Amino acid sequence: MHFKLVVAFVEDHKTEPVMQAAREAGATGATIINNARGEGLNTSKTFFGLSLETQRDVLMFLVEEHMAREILETIAEVGEFEAKPGTGIAFQIDVEDAVGISQQLNVLKEKVKEEV
């Protein structure tokens, strides 16, 4: 099997809906890093030195390559990345090798058979 790492930076209040949608699209789990901060084209607004931007979470999904694009598009739709600029981004990276996923391999094999 070949894998992709789907990484999404989402506003913290959208973490749960994005997680649920990714699971429905085929993701078998995720790693979440809370309270990330980022900056886009425009600098952050501050008030007396305090940042006014919302906190973001980083969601990382190790997924089978045949399901990666659908999961990526689902995350973008639920996170409203294209509809509302500045709400988050997501991308996928090729994974050369992975360990510690033997429990998920059986589930993934069945899902891939259904997809292909």
Side-chain angles (χ1 to χ4, degrees), residues 77-116:
E77 183 179 326
V78 173
E80 300 178 293
F81 297 167
E82 297 298 334
K84 297 179 182 178
T87 57
I89 64 169
F91 53 89
Q92 64 182 354
I93 303 170
D94 288 327
V95 174
E96 187 174 327
D97 203 359
V99 296
I101 57 170
S102 59
Q103 295 290 329
Q104 295 177 348
L105 283 178
N106 293 331
V107 174
L108 288 172
K109 286 178 185 177
E110 293 301 317
K111 286 186 178 188
V112 169
K113 284 180 187 177
E114 292 172 10
E115 294 288 321
V116 176

Side-chain angles (χ1 to χ4, degrees), residues 44-60:
S44 311
K45 296 178 183 175
T46 60
F47 181 72
F48 291 115
L50 300 173
S51 175
L52 299 177
E53 66 184 24
T54 62
Q55 289 295 318
R56 301 195 184 280
D57 291 338
V58 180
L59 312 178
M60 297 183 293

